Coordinates of all heavy atoms in Angstrom, one line a residue:
M1 N 114.0 -6.5 -10.9 CA 115.1 -6.5 -10.1 C 115.8 -5.1 -10.0 O 116.2 -4.6 -11.0 CB 116.2 -7.5 -10.6 CG 117.4 -7.6 -9.8 SD 118.7 -8.7 -10.4 CE 119.4 -7.6 -11.7
T2 N 115.7 -4.5 -8.9 CA 116.4 -3.2 -8.7 C 117.5 -3.1 -7.8 O 118.1 -2.2 -7.5 CB 115.3 -2.1 -8.4 OG1 114.6 -2.6 -7.1 CG2 114.2 -1.9 -9.5
T3 N 117.6 -4.3 -7.1 CA 118.7 -4.3 -6.1 C 119.8 -5.3 -6.6 O 119.4 -6.4 -7.2 CB 118.2 -5.0 -4.7 OG1 117.0 -4.2 -4.3 CG2 119.3 -5.0 -3.7
P4 N 121.1 -4.8 -6.6 CA 122.1 -5.7 -7.1 C 122.3 -6.9 -6.3 O 122.1 -6.9 -5.1 CB 123.3 -4.8 -7.1 CG 123.0 -3.7 -6.1 CD 121.5 -3.5 -6.1
V5 N 122.8 -7.9 -7.0 CA 123.1 -9.2 -6.2 C 124.5 -9.0 -5.6 O 125.4 -8.5 -6.1 CB 123.3 -10.4 -7.3 CG1 123.8 -11.6 -6.6 CG2 121.8 -10.6 -7.9
R6 N 124.5 -9.5 -4.3 CA 125.8 -9.5 -3.6 C 126.8 -10.5 -4.2 O 126.6 -11.6 -3.7 CB 125.6 -9.6 -2.1 CG 126.8 -9.3 -1.2 CD 126.3 -9.4 0.3 NE 127.5 -9.3 1.2 CZ 127.8 -8.1 1.7 NH1 127.2 -7.0 1.4 NH2 128.8 -8.0 2.6
A7 N 127.6 -10.2 -5.0 CA 128.4 -11.2 -5.8 C 129.5 -11.7 -4.8 O 129.9 -12.9 -4.9 CB 129.1 -10.6 -7.0
S8 N 129.9 -11.0 -3.9 CA 131.0 -11.4 -3.0 C 131.0 -10.6 -1.7 O 130.5 -9.5 -1.7 CB 132.4 -11.1 -3.7 OG 133.5 -11.3 -2.7
D9 N 131.4 -11.2 -0.6 CA 131.4 -10.4 0.7 C 132.7 -9.5 0.8 O 132.8 -8.9 1.8 CB 131.3 -11.4 1.8 CG 130.0 -12.1 2.0 OD1 129.0 -11.4 1.4 OD2 129.9 -13.1 2.4
T10 N 133.6 -9.7 -0.1 CA 134.9 -9.0 0.0 C 135.2 -8.4 -1.4 O 134.7 -8.8 -2.5 CB 136.0 -9.9 0.4 OG1 136.0 -11.0 -0.5 CG2 135.8 -10.3 1.8
P11 N 136.1 -7.4 -1.5 CA 136.5 -6.8 -2.7 C 137.3 -7.8 -3.6 O 137.9 -8.7 -3.0 CB 137.2 -5.5 -2.4 CG 137.7 -5.8 -1.1 CD 136.8 -6.7 -0.3
F12 N 137.4 -7.5 -4.9 CA 138.3 -8.2 -5.8 C 139.5 -7.4 -6.1 O 139.4 -6.3 -6.6 CB 137.5 -8.4 -7.1 CG 136.3 -9.4 -7.1 CD1 135.1 -8.8 -6.8 CD2 136.5 -10.7 -7.2 CE1 134.0 -9.7 -6.8 CE2 135.3 -11.6 -7.2 CZ 134.1 -11.0 -6.9
A13 N 140.7 -8.0 -5.7 CA 141.9 -7.4 -6.0 C 142.3 -7.7 -7.5 O 142.4 -8.8 -7.9 CB 143.0 -7.8 -5.1
V14 N 142.5 -6.7 -8.3 CA 142.8 -6.8 -9.8 C 144.0 -6.0 -10.1 O 144.1 -4.9 -9.7 CB 141.6 -6.4 -10.6 CG1 142.0 -6.6 -12.1 CG2 140.4 -7.2 -10.3
D15 N 144.9 -6.6 -10.8 CA 146.1 -5.8 -11.2 C 145.7 -5.2 -12.6 O 145.5 -5.9 -13.6 CB 147.3 -6.7 -11.5 CG 147.8 -7.3 -10.3 OD1 147.8 -6.6 -9.2 OD2 148.3 -8.5 -10.2
V16 N 145.6 -3.9 -12.5 CA 145.1 -3.1 -13.7 C 146.4 -2.5 -14.4 O 147.4 -2.2 -13.8 CB 144.1 -2.0 -13.4 CG1 142.9 -2.6 -12.8 CG2 144.7 -1.0 -12.5
E17 N 146.2 -2.3 -15.7 CA 147.3 -1.8 -16.6 C 147.0 -0.3 -17.0 O 145.9 0.0 -17.4 CB 147.4 -2.6 -17.8 CG 148.8 -2.9 -18.3 CD 148.8 -3.9 -19.4 OE1 148.4 -5.1 -19.2 OE2 149.1 -3.5 -20.6
Q18 N 148.0 0.5 -16.8 CA 147.9 2.0 -17.2 C 147.3 2.1 -18.7 O 147.8 1.4 -19.5 CB 149.2 2.6 -17.1 CG 149.2 4.1 -17.4 CD 150.5 4.7 -17.3 OE1 151.6 4.1 -17.3 NE2 150.6 6.0 -17.1
G19 N 146.3 2.9 -18.8 CA 145.8 3.2 -20.1 C 144.7 2.3 -20.5 O 144.0 2.5 -21.5
K20 N 144.4 1.3 -19.7 CA 143.3 0.4 -20.1 C 142.0 0.6 -19.4 O 142.1 1.3 -18.3 CB 143.7 -1.1 -19.7 CG 144.7 -1.8 -20.7 CD 144.7 -3.2 -20.6 CE 145.5 -3.9 -21.7 NZ 145.5 -5.4 -21.5
D21 N 140.9 0.3 -20.1 CA 139.6 0.5 -19.5 C 139.0 -0.8 -19.1 O 139.2 -1.8 -19.6 CB 138.6 1.2 -20.5 CG 139.0 2.6 -20.9 OD1 139.7 3.3 -20.0 OD2 138.7 3.0 -22.1
Y22 N 138.3 -0.7 -17.9 CA 137.7 -1.9 -17.3 C 136.2 -1.6 -17.0 O 135.9 -0.4 -16.7 CB 138.5 -2.3 -16.0 CG 139.9 -2.6 -16.2 CD1 140.8 -1.6 -16.3 CD2 140.3 -3.9 -16.4 CE1 142.1 -1.8 -16.5 CE2 141.7 -4.2 -16.6 CZ 142.6 -3.2 -16.6 OH 144.0 -3.5 -16.9
W23 N 135.4 -2.6 -17.2 CA 133.9 -2.3 -17.0 C 133.5 -3.2 -15.9 O 133.4 -4.4 -15.9 CB 133.2 -2.7 -18.3 CG 133.5 -1.7 -19.4 CD1 134.5 -1.9 -20.4 CD2 132.9 -0.5 -19.7 NE1 134.6 -0.8 -21.2 CE2 133.6 0.1 -20.7 CE3 131.9 0.2 -19.0 CZ2 133.2 1.3 -21.2 CZ3 131.5 1.5 -19.5 CH2 132.2 2.0 -20.7
W24 N 133.2 -2.5 -14.7 CA 132.8 -3.1 -13.5 C 131.3 -3.5 -13.6 O 130.5 -2.7 -13.9 CB 133.1 -2.2 -12.3 CG 132.6 -2.6 -11.0 CD1 133.2 -3.5 -10.2 CD2 131.5 -2.1 -10.2 NE1 132.6 -3.6 -9.0 CE2 131.5 -2.8 -9.0 CE3 130.5 -1.2 -10.5 CZ2 130.5 -2.5 -8.0 CZ3 129.5 -0.9 -9.5 CH2 129.6 -1.6 -8.3
C25 N 131.0 -4.7 -13.1 CA 129.6 -5.2 -13.1 C 129.0 -4.5 -11.8 O 129.4 -4.7 -10.7 CB 129.6 -6.7 -12.9 SG 128.1 -7.4 -12.5
S26 N 127.9 -3.8 -12.1 CA 127.1 -3.1 -11.0 C 125.9 -4.0 -10.5 O 125.4 -3.8 -9.4 CB 126.6 -1.8 -11.4 OG 125.7 -1.9 -12.5
C27 N 125.5 -5.0 -11.4 CA 124.3 -5.7 -11.1 C 124.7 -7.0 -10.2 O 123.7 -7.5 -9.5 CB 123.6 -6.1 -12.4 SG 124.4 -7.5 -13.3
G28 N 125.9 -7.4 -10.2 CA 126.2 -8.6 -9.4 C 125.9 -10.0 -10.1 O 126.1 -11.0 -9.6
Q29 N 125.3 -9.9 -11.3 CA 125.0 -11.1 -12.0 C 126.0 -11.7 -12.9 O 125.8 -12.8 -13.4 CB 123.7 -10.8 -13.0 CG 122.5 -10.3 -12.2 CD 121.5 -11.4 -11.7 OE1 122.0 -12.5 -11.6 NE2 120.4 -11.0 -11.3
S30 N 127.1 -10.9 -13.1 CA 128.1 -11.4 -14.1 C 128.7 -12.7 -13.6 O 129.0 -12.8 -12.4 CB 129.1 -10.3 -14.3 OG 130.2 -10.8 -15.0
K31 N 129.1 -13.5 -14.5 CA 129.9 -14.7 -14.1 C 131.4 -14.4 -14.2 O 132.2 -15.3 -14.0 CB 129.5 -15.9 -15.1 CG 128.0 -16.3 -15.0 CD 127.7 -17.1 -13.8 CE 126.3 -17.6 -13.7 NZ 125.2 -16.6 -13.3
A32 N 131.8 -13.2 -14.6 CA 133.2 -12.9 -14.8 C 133.5 -11.7 -13.8 O 134.1 -10.8 -14.1 CB 133.4 -12.4 -16.2
Q33 N 133.0 -11.9 -12.5 CA 133.3 -10.8 -11.4 C 134.7 -10.5 -11.3 O 135.6 -11.4 -11.4 CB 132.8 -11.4 -10.1 CG 131.2 -11.4 -10.1 CD 130.5 -10.1 -10.2 OE1 131.1 -9.1 -9.9 NE2 129.4 -10.1 -10.9
P34 N 135.1 -9.2 -11.1 CA 134.1 -8.1 -10.8 C 133.7 -7.4 -12.1 O 133.1 -6.3 -12.0 CB 135.0 -7.2 -10.0 CG 136.3 -7.4 -10.6 CD 136.5 -8.8 -11.0
F35 N 134.0 -8.0 -13.3 CA 133.6 -7.3 -14.5 C 132.3 -7.7 -15.2 O 131.9 -8.8 -14.9 CB 134.8 -7.4 -15.4 CG 136.1 -6.9 -14.9 CD1 137.2 -7.7 -14.7 CD2 136.2 -5.6 -14.4 CE1 138.3 -7.2 -14.1 CE2 137.3 -5.1 -13.9 CZ 138.4 -5.9 -13.7
C36 N 131.8 -6.9 -16.0 CA 130.6 -7.1 -16.7 C 130.7 -8.2 -17.7 O 131.6 -8.1 -18.5 CB 130.1 -5.8 -17.4 SG 128.7 -5.9 -18.4
D37 N 129.7 -9.1 -17.9 CA 129.8 -10.0 -19.0 C 128.5 -9.9 -19.9 O 128.2 -10.8 -20.6 CB 130.0 -11.5 -18.5 CG 128.7 -12.0 -17.7 OD1 127.8 -11.1 -17.5 OD2 128.8 -13.2 -17.4
G38 N 127.8 -8.9 -19.6 CA 126.5 -8.7 -20.4 C 125.3 -9.1 -19.7 O 124.2 -8.9 -20.2
S39 N 125.4 -9.8 -18.6 CA 124.2 -10.5 -17.9 C 123.2 -9.4 -17.5 O 122.0 -9.7 -17.4 CB 124.7 -11.3 -16.7 OG 125.5 -12.4 -17.1
H40 N 123.6 -8.2 -17.2 CA 122.7 -7.1 -16.8 C 121.6 -6.9 -17.8 O 120.5 -6.3 -17.5 CB 123.4 -5.9 -16.5 CG 124.1 -5.2 -17.8 ND1 125.3 -5.6 -18.2 CD2 123.6 -4.3 -18.7 CE1 125.6 -4.9 -19.3 NE2 124.6 -4.2 -19.6
K41 N 121.8 -7.2 -19.1 CA 120.8 -6.9 -20.1 C 119.5 -7.6 -19.9 O 118.4 -7.1 -20.3 CB 121.4 -7.3 -21.5 CG 122.5 -6.3 -21.9 CD 123.2 -6.8 -23.2 CE 124.4 -6.0 -23.4 NZ 125.3 -6.6 -24.5
A42 N 119.5 -8.7 -19.2 CA 118.3 -9.5 -19.0 C 117.4 -8.7 -18.1 O 116.1 -8.7 -18.3 CB 118.6 -10.8 -18.3
A43 N 117.8 -8.0 -17.1 CA 117.0 -7.2 -16.2 C 116.7 -5.8 -16.7 O 115.7 -5.2 -16.5 CB 117.7 -7.1 -14.8
G44 N 117.7 -5.3 -17.4 CA 117.6 -4.0 -18.0 C 117.6 -2.8 -17.1 O 117.3 -1.6 -17.5
V45 N 118.0 -3.0 -15.9 CA 118.0 -1.9 -14.9 C 119.4 -1.3 -14.7 O 119.6 -0.2 -14.6 CB 117.5 -2.3 -13.6 CG1 117.5 -1.2 -12.6 CG2 116.0 -2.8 -13.8
F46 N 120.4 -2.2 -14.8 CA 121.8 -1.9 -14.4 C 122.7 -1.7 -15.8 O 122.3 -2.1 -16.8 CB 122.4 -3.0 -13.6 CG 121.8 -3.1 -12.3 CD1 120.7 -4.1 -12.1 CD2 122.2 -2.3 -11.2 CE1 120.2 -4.2 -10.8 CE2 121.6 -2.5 -10.0 CZ 120.6 -3.4 -9.8
A47 N 123.7 -1.0 -15.5 CA 124.7 -0.8 -16.6 C 126.1 -0.9 -15.9 O 126.3 -0.6 -14.8 CB 124.5 0.5 -17.3
P48 N 127.1 -1.4 -16.7 CA 128.4 -1.5 -16.1 C 129.0 -0.1 -15.9 O 128.5 0.9 -16.5 CB 129.2 -2.2 -17.2 CG 128.5 -2.0 -18.5 CD 127.0 -1.9 -18.1
V49 N 130.0 0.0 -15.0 CA 130.6 1.3 -14.7 C 132.1 1.2 -15.2 O 132.8 0.3 -14.9 CB 130.6 1.5 -13.2 CG1 131.4 2.8 -12.8 CG2 129.2 1.7 -12.7
K50 N 132.5 2.1 -16.0 CA 133.8 2.2 -16.6 C 134.9 2.7 -15.6 O 134.6 3.6 -14.8 CB 133.9 3.2 -17.7 CG 135.1 3.3 -18.5 CD 135.0 4.3 -19.6 CE 136.3 4.4 -20.5 NZ 136.0 5.3 -21.5
F51 N 136.0 2.0 -15.5 CA 137.2 2.3 -14.8 C 138.4 2.5 -15.7 O 138.7 1.5 -16.4 CB 137.5 1.3 -13.7 CG 138.7 1.6 -12.9 CD1 138.7 2.4 -11.8 CD2 140.0 1.1 -13.2 CE1 139.8 2.8 -11.1 CE2 141.1 1.3 -12.5 CZ 141.0 2.2 -11.4
S52 N 138.9 3.6 -15.8 CA 140.1 3.9 -16.6 C 141.3 4.0 -15.8 O 141.5 4.7 -14.9 CB 139.9 5.2 -17.4 OG 138.8 5.1 -18.2
A53 N 142.2 3.0 -16.0 CA 143.5 2.9 -15.1 C 144.4 4.0 -15.5 O 144.9 4.0 -16.7 CB 144.1 1.5 -15.3
E54 N 144.7 4.8 -14.5 CA 145.7 6.0 -14.8 C 147.1 5.5 -14.5 O 148.1 6.1 -15.0 CB 145.3 7.2 -13.9 CG 144.0 7.8 -14.4 CD 143.5 8.9 -13.5 OE1 144.3 9.3 -12.6 OE2 142.5 9.5 -13.7
V55 N 147.2 4.5 -13.7 CA 148.5 3.9 -13.5 C 148.4 2.4 -13.3 O 147.2 1.9 -13.1 CB 149.2 4.5 -12.2 CG1 149.5 5.9 -12.2 CG2 148.2 4.2 -11.0
T56 N 149.5 1.7 -13.5 CA 149.5 0.3 -13.3 C 149.6 0.0 -11.9 O 150.6 0.4 -11.2 CB 150.7 -0.4 -14.2 OG1 150.5 -0.2 -15.6 CG2 150.8 -1.9 -13.9
S57 N 148.5 -0.7 -11.4 CA 148.6 -1.0 -9.9 C 147.5 -2.0 -9.6 O 146.9 -2.5 -10.5 CB 148.2 0.4 -9.2 OG 146.9 0.7 -9.5
T58 N 147.4 -2.4 -8.3 CA 146.3 -3.2 -7.8 C 145.2 -2.4 -7.4 O 145.3 -1.6 -6.6 CB 146.9 -4.1 -6.7 OG1 148.1 -4.9 -7.1 CG2 145.8 -5.1 -6.2
V59 N 144.0 -2.7 -7.9 CA 142.8 -2.0 -7.5 C 141.9 -3.0 -6.9 O 141.7 -4.1 -7.3 CB 142.2 -1.4 -8.9 CG1 140.8 -0.8 -8.6 CG2 143.1 -0.3 -9.5
Y60 N 141.1 -2.5 -5.9 CA 140.2 -3.3 -5.2 C 138.8 -2.9 -5.7 O 138.2 -1.9 -5.2 CB 140.4 -3.1 -3.7 CG 141.6 -3.7 -3.3 CD1 142.9 -2.9 -3.3 CD2 141.7 -5.0 -2.8 CE1 144.1 -3.5 -2.9 CE2 143.0 -5.6 -2.5 CZ 144.1 -4.7 -2.5 OH 145.3 -5.4 -2.1
F61 N 138.2 -3.7 -6.5 CA 136.9 -3.5 -7.0 C 135.8 -4.0 -6.1 O 136.1 -5.2 -5.6 CB 136.7 -4.2 -8.4 CG 137.5 -3.4 -9.6 CD1 138.7 -4.0 -10.0 CD2 136.9 -2.4 -10.2 CE1 139.4 -3.4 -11.0 CE2 137.6 -1.8 -11.2 CZ 138.8 -2.3 -11.6
C62 N 134.8 -3.3 -5.9 CA 133.7 -3.7 -5.0 C 133.1 -5.1 -5.5 O 132.7 -5.2 -6.6 CB 132.7 -2.7 -4.9 SG 131.2 -3.2 -4.0
G63 N 132.9 -6.1 -4.6 CA 132.2 -7.2 -4.9 C 130.8 -7.3 -4.3 O 130.0 -8.1 -4.8
C64 N 130.6 -6.6 -3.3 CA 129.3 -6.6 -2.6 C 128.2 -5.8 -3.4 O 127.0 -6.0 -3.2 CB 129.3 -6.2 -1.2 SG 129.6 -4.4 -1.0
K65 N 128.7 -4.9 -4.3 CA 127.8 -4.0 -5.1 C 127.1 -3.0 -4.2 O 126.2 -2.3 -4.8 CB 126.9 -4.8 -5.9 CG 127.5 -6.0 -6.7 CD 128.6 -5.6 -7.6 CE 129.2 -6.8 -8.3 NZ 130.4 -6.4 -9.1
A66 N 127.5 -2.8 -3.0 CA 126.9 -1.8 -2.1 C 127.8 -0.5 -1.9 O 127.4 0.3 -1.1 CB 126.5 -2.4 -0.8
T67 N 128.9 -0.5 -2.6 CA 129.8 0.6 -2.3 C 129.2 1.9 -2.7 O 128.4 2.0 -3.7 CB 131.1 0.4 -3.2 OG1 132.0 1.4 -3.0 CG2 130.8 0.3 -4.7
G68 N 129.5 2.9 -2.0 CA 129.1 4.3 -2.4 C 130.2 5.0 -3.3 O 130.0 6.1 -3.5
H69 N 131.2 4.2 -3.7 CA 132.3 4.9 -4.5 C 132.5 3.9 -5.7 O 133.6 3.4 -5.8 CB 133.5 5.0 -3.6 CG 134.7 5.7 -4.2 ND1 134.5 7.0 -4.7 CD2 135.9 5.4 -4.3 CE1 135.7 7.4 -5.2 NE2 136.6 6.4 -5.1
Q70 N 131.5 3.7 -6.5 CA 131.6 2.8 -7.6 C 132.7 3.1 -8.5 O 132.9 4.3 -8.8 CB 130.4 2.7 -8.4 CG 129.2 2.1 -7.6 CD 127.9 2.0 -8.4 OE1 127.9 2.5 -9.6 NE2 126.9 1.4 -7.9
P71 N 133.5 2.2 -9.1 CA 133.5 0.8 -8.9 C 134.3 0.2 -7.7 O 134.5 -1.0 -7.7 CB 133.9 0.3 -10.2 CG 135.0 1.2 -10.5 CD 134.5 2.6 -10.0
L72 N 134.8 1.1 -7.0 CA 135.9 0.7 -6.0 C 135.2 0.4 -4.6 O 134.2 0.9 -4.2 CB 137.0 1.8 -5.9 CG 137.6 2.1 -7.1 CD1 138.6 3.3 -6.8 CD2 138.2 1.0 -7.8
C73 N 135.8 -0.6 -3.9 CA 135.5 -0.8 -2.5 C 135.6 0.4 -1.6 O 136.7 1.0 -1.6 CB 136.3 -2.1 -2.0 SG 136.0 -2.4 -0.3
D74 N 134.6 0.7 -0.8 CA 134.7 1.8 0.1 C 134.6 1.2 1.6 O 134.4 2.0 2.5 CB 133.8 2.9 -0.2 CG 132.3 2.5 0.1 OD1 132.1 1.4 0.4 OD2 131.5 3.5 -0.1
G75 N 134.5 0.0 1.8 CA 134.4 -0.7 3.1 C 133.0 -1.0 3.5 O 132.7 -1.5 4.5
S76 N 132.0 -0.7 2.5 CA 130.6 -0.9 2.8 C 130.3 -2.4 3.0 O 129.2 -2.7 3.6 CB 129.7 -0.3 1.7 OG 129.8 1.1 1.6
H77 N 131.1 -3.2 2.4 CA 130.8 -4.6 2.6 C 130.9 -5.2 4.0 O 130.3 -6.3 4.3 CB 131.8 -5.5 1.7 CG 133.2 -5.4 2.2 ND1 134.0 -4.4 1.7 CD2 134.0 -6.1 3.1 CE1 135.2 -4.5 2.3 NE2 135.2 -5.5 3.1
K78 N 131.5 -4.3 4.9 CA 131.5 -4.8 6.3 C 130.3 -4.5 7.1 O 130.1 -4.9 8.2 CB 132.7 -4.0 7.0 CG 134.1 -4.4 6.4 CD 135.2 -3.5 7.0 CE 136.5 -3.8 6.3 NZ 137.4 -2.7 6.5
K79 N 129.3 -3.7 6.5 CA 128.1 -3.4 7.2 C 127.2 -4.6 7.1 O 127.3 -5.4 6.3 CB 127.4 -2.3 6.5 CG 128.2 -0.9 6.7 CD 127.4 0.2 5.9 CE 128.3 1.4 5.8 NZ 127.9 2.3 4.7
A80 N 126.4 -4.8 8.1 CA 125.5 -5.9 8.3 C 124.5 -5.8 7.0 O 124.1 -4.7 6.7 CB 124.7 -5.9 9.5
V81 N 124.1 -7.0 6.5 CA 123.2 -7.1 5.4 C 121.9 -7.5 5.9 O 121.7 -8.2 6.8 CB 123.7 -7.9 4.2 CG1 124.7 -7.0 3.5 CG2 124.2 -9.2 4.6
Ligands
FES1 FE1 126.4 -6.9 -14.2 FE2 126.9 -6.1 -16.8 S1 126.8 -8.1 -16.0 S2 126.6 -4.8 -15.1
FES2 FE1 131.7 -3.7 -1.7 FE2 133.8 -3.5 -0.2 S1 133.3 -5.2 -1.5 S2 132.3 -2.0 -0.5

């Protein structure tokens, strides 16, 4: 498996807390979207992407896993698949 699973057709809005680290799932296999739950280890190709919150805010994490700006949504989910 070298292509990530499209976990969602839209981004996940998450309220992040300043100073905390978050691990975004890049493989799409996690059951705890948009974050990694260790499921990527079965395929061994993907690794989670760290997001460090610099401010407390709402962040839109990519759910389609096709973003060019990991781990955030860049609008790529709107392209035809
Ligand atoms: Fe997807 Fe860890 S479960 S990157
Ligand atoms: Fe992936 Fe928007 S949800 S680019």
Side-chain angles (χ1 to χ4, degrees):
M1 183 186 77
T2 55
T3 305
V5 172
R6 188 176 177 92
S8 171
D9 290 333
T10 54
F12 293 91
V14 177
D15 294 328
V16 299
E17 215 174 297
Q18 182 179 19
K20 282 197 173 181
D21 292 334
Y22 300 82
W23 293 92
W24 176 75
C25 167
S26 65
C27 73
Q29 301 272 16
S30 173
K31 300 283 185 277
Q33 292 296 328
F35 302 119
C36 174
D37 71 353
S39 297
H40 64 272
K41 292 175 188 162
V45 177
F46 295 93
V49 175
K50 184 179 179 182
F51 176 85
S52 299
E54 293 177 3
V55 293
T56 297
S57 65
T58 301
V59 170
Y60 292 86
F61 288 97
C62 171
C64 74
K65 311 305 178 185
T67 180
H69 188 55
Q70 294 183 355
L72 307 178
C73 172
D74 70 353
S76 296
H77 62 273
K78 294 174 188 162
K79 294 178 191 158
V81 284

